[in-house]
Amino acid sequence: MPLATFPDLFGKTALNSRELRKLRQLATQVRFRSGQQIVAEGEVATEVYGLSRGVVRVCKKLADGRHHVLRFALPGDFVELPRGERHCLSANAIGAVSASRFARSELFEFIETSRNMMRLMLDFATEELRRSQDLMLSLGRNTPEEQLTAFLLGWRKRLPRRPGRVVSLPMSRRDIAAHLGMAPETLTRTFGKLQQKEIIHIMGDDVDLLEIGQSRGCAKG
Amino acid sequence: MPLATFPDLFGKTALNSRELRKLRQLATQVRFRSGQQIVAEGEVATEVYGLSRGVVRVCKKLADGRHHVLRFALPGDFVELPRGERHCLSANAIGAVSASRFARSELFEFIETSRNMMRLMLDFATEELRRSQDLMLSLGRNTPEEQLTAFLLGWRKRLPRRPGRVVSLPMSRRDIAAHLGMAPETLTRTFGKLQQKEIIHIMGDDVDLLEIGQSRGCAKG
DNA sequence: CGACTTGTTGAGTGAACTCAAGGAGGGTGG
DNA sequence: CCACCCTCCTTGAGTTCACTCAACAAGTCG
């Protein structure tokens, strides 16, 4: 993967060169080590982040410590939209992460002044909403096996340039389990079942999606 | 509730009079009877709807007939964002419904030309996203009792001018169950448990939220 | 008045959860 | 280089709780 930075990943196709320059100018490049917290739920949101490299776990906490992993952000994603006085979710680096940091107020103002930028944000929010609805359907209605296959397919689809069958899962089993709303033990057993049925083949952090028929979800592309 | 139509409910505060007039002009007032289908998942999305009066059940279907209720749309809500060649969800009227119908392409174009309108859409999408993330947390992590209380609180908060304790639930138990990802029987029993604990009091379709402490979720208002 | 839908209750099963222990890898320090 | 620790994953055993199946009550509509 070439080392593109966030503004390019996010807005290269839709912003004109002046807007792109402005966006680059607003961004500060920052790095995070594996596991490091990027955003803390409840804190005042003075800045927001756009992901350049790596994977970020985005989750929401309950008062008693239980938490749910909402999504795994990939390069080109905003970790969180620049709305709201405070962060309403937490984010941690999975492996090494590079990101562009923006002052929330500055980014917000830039969005207000640039139609292209606002359109981009709307597109991003719309797409996130669609994905989150798909996940909700999965969470609410599917068996663990269906959930896991749906997750693997969705993850493959989001990975850059990977028409292949083998996908890499950099996040921990625990995180996947917390994403799918099941206990880690259940996830392990579900992986086992899918492998036993020869639907997938597990090779450490990589999984070969042997014969999962593709495509689901609406308005792809 | 005064009979405001959708454009007013949605954009009165943020659009100038010219934009509001334009939006009214694009809208056709339509009515639906109880249970009538408004939008069908998978169909070509030639038009989109904004809700003026009543409640709309918005759901997503699985191939085998299982379905999940994503949300209950209220007056002022769009049923679906005007993106995507095809509808990616279904919508049915709960009780009598009045709505504004827009030609998707016309509304889309108007959004493109009006900054205020685009900002409104972005706000709406952002808010929907936040809500859907809250629901995901609830679906993935909570017990049925917690889910139901969270639903009742969230519903109360969304209802217009209802600081009171009694909320009306116009949707069927089945729909609530499908929204919370549980079987209808489980929902009934959960209602029973909450009543037994004197947390709520059930009066037909109305529920008195006796002593549920309020407020949760981030960036309220 | 009768058919149908919707909500409630009961009984029994099964699947996912909890608790607990046993590897397997990775990193650190002696 | 090896020993050790620690975290992560996996496996096992037992239990709980939500689901399924079924019957019944209560409205609703023709």
Side-chain angles (χ1 to χ4, degrees):
Chain A
M1 169 174 11
L3 273 180
T5 56
F6 172 76
D8 294 326
L9 288 167
F10 183 71
K12 186 180 267 174
T13 57
L15 298 181
N16 64 42
S17 58
R18 196 183 58 76
E19 293 166 324
L20 198 52
R21 199 166 344 114
K22 169 78 171 174
L23 194 56
R24 281 206 200 93
Q25 178 193 325
L26 291 179
T28 308
Q29 298 305 314
V30 288
R31 290 166 162 266
F32 297 93
R33 277 191 296 277
S34 184
Q36 199 173 348
Q37 185 159 59
I38 299 170
V39 160
E41 187 175 352
E43 299 284 297
V44 174
T46 54
E47 58 250 322
V48 296
Y49 296 87
L51 198 51
S52 301
R53 196 168 57 86
V55 181
V56 169
R57 178 189 65 200
V58 177
C59 64
K60 222 164 154 53
K61 290 172 176 23
L62 242 45
D64 60 1
R66 286 177 296 174
H67 67 282
H68 188 85
V69 174
L70 297 175
R71 62 196 183 97
F72 298 101
L74 288 174
D77 290 344
F78 274 101
V79 169
E80 188 178 25
L81 292 174
R83 299 274 153 136
E85 193 61 24
R86 289 171 178 278
H87 294 296
C88 55
L89 40 79
S90 300
N92 289 80
I94 295 177
V97 159
S98 303
S100 292
R101 168 158 57 202
F102 301 90
R104 187 173 70 90
S105 57
E106 286 178 9
L107 182 63
F108 190 83
E109 190 162 342
F110 178 53
I111 293 171
E112 286 292 312
T113 60
S114 159
R115 168 165 308 161
N116 282 335
M117 189 60 192
M118 195 181 281
R119 184 187 300 119
L120 268 178
M121 296 306 292
L122 179 55
D123 286 346
F124 179 71
T126 306
E127 179 62 16
E128 279 302 316
L129 183 59
R130 198 190 60 71
R131 242 203 287 279
S132 117
Q133 288 174 341
D134 281 346
L135 180 61
M136 234 187 297
L137 179 65
S138 183
L139 276 173
R141 278 285 161 272
N142 280 349
T143 65
E145 289 189 37
E146 291 170 317
Q147 276 188 76
L148 182 52
T149 40
F151 168 73
L152 291 172
L153 287 175
W155 182 247
R156 177 178 66 174
K157 189 154 54 174
R158 291 182 59 207
L159 288 180
R161 60 191 67 228
R162 282 289 183 78
R165 296 185 326 189
V166 178
V167 301
S168 168
L169 300 175
M171 68 294 281
S172 70
R173 303 292 192 216
R174 168 177 311 190
D175 286 342
I176 299 177
H179 183 49
L180 301 179
M182 59 180 80
E185 297 92 332
T186 305
L187 182 71
T188 291
R189 293 185 237 268
T190 306
F191 264 119
K193 281 180 199 170
L194 290 183
Q195 178 154 243
Q196 209 164 16
K197 292 183 178 179
E198 299 190 339
I199 293 171
I200 63 173
H201 187 244
I202 303 164
M203 303 167 294
D205 286 352
D206 294 345
V207 175
D208 191 340
L209 309 181
L210 296 174
E211 49 166 316
I212 309 188
Q214 69 271 42
S215 117
R216 248 268 316 286
C218 101
K220 68 207 58 128
Chain B
M1 166 174 14
L3 273 180
T5 57
F6 172 77
D8 294 325
L9 287 167
F10 184 70
K12 186 180 268 174
T13 57
L15 298 182
N16 63 41
S17 58
R18 197 183 59 74
E19 292 166 325
L20 198 51
R21 199 166 343 117
K22 168 79 171 175
L23 194 55
R24 283 206 200 95
Q25 178 192 325
L26 290 179
T28 307
Q29 298 306 314
V30 288
R31 288 166 164 267
F32 297 93
R33 278 190 295 277
S34 183
Q36 200 174 348
Q37 184 159 59
I38 298 171
V39 160
E41 187 175 350
E43 299 283 297
V44 174
T46 54
E47 58 249 326
V48 296
Y49 296 87
L51 198 51
S52 301
R53 194 169 58 87
V55 181
V56 168
R57 179 188 66 201
V58 176
C59 64
K60 223 165 154 50
K61 290 172 174 27
L62 243 44
D64 60 2
R66 285 176 297 175
H67 68 282
H68 188 83
V69 174
L70 297 175
R71 62 195 184 96
F72 298 100
L74 287 174
D77 290 346
F78 274 102
V79 168
E80 188 177 26
L81 293 173
R83 299 273 154 139
E85 193 61 25
R86 291 172 177 277
H87 294 296
C88 54
L89 40 79
S90 301
N92 288 79
I94 295 176
V97 160
S98 303
S100 292
R101 167 158 58 201
F102 301 88
R104 187 173 71 90
S105 56
E106 286 179 9
L107 182 63
F108 189 83
E109 190 163 338
F110 178 52
I111 293 170
E112 286 293 312
T113 60
S114 158
R115 170 166 308 163
N116 282 335
M117 188 60 193
M118 195 181 281
R119 185 187 301 120
L120 267 178
M121 296 305 293
L122 179 55
D123 286 346
F124 179 71
T126 305
E127 179 61 16
E128 279 301 316
L129 184 58
R130 198 191 59 71
R131 241 202 287 280
S132 112
Q133 288 173 342
D134 281 346
L135 181 61
M136 235 187 298
L137 178 65
S138 181
L139 276 173
R141 277 286 159 272
N142 280 348
T143 66
E145 288 188 39
E146 291 170 317
Q147 276 188 75
L148 183 51
T149 40
F151 168 73
L152 291 172
L153 286 175
W155 182 247
R156 177 178 66 173
K157 187 153 56 176
R158 291 182 59 207
L159 287 181
R161 56 192 66 226
R162 283 288 184 79
R165 296 185 326 189
V166 178
V167 301
S168 167
L169 300 175
M171 68 294 279
S172 69
R173 304 292 194 217
R174 169 177 310 188
D175 286 342
I176 299 177
H179 183 50
L180 301 178
M182 58 181 78
E185 296 92 331
T186 304
L187 182 70
T188 291
R189 294 185 236 268
T190 307
F191 264 119
K193 280 182 198 169
L194 290 185
Q195 178 154 241
Q196 210 165 16
K197 291 182 178 178
E198 299 189 341
I199 293 171
I200 63 173
H201 186 243
I202 303 165
M203 304 168 292
D205 286 352
D206 294 346
V207 176
D208 190 342
L209 310 181
L210 296 173
E211 49 165 318
I212 311 188
Q214 67 272 43
S215 118
R216 248 267 316 290
C218 101
K220 73 208 56 134

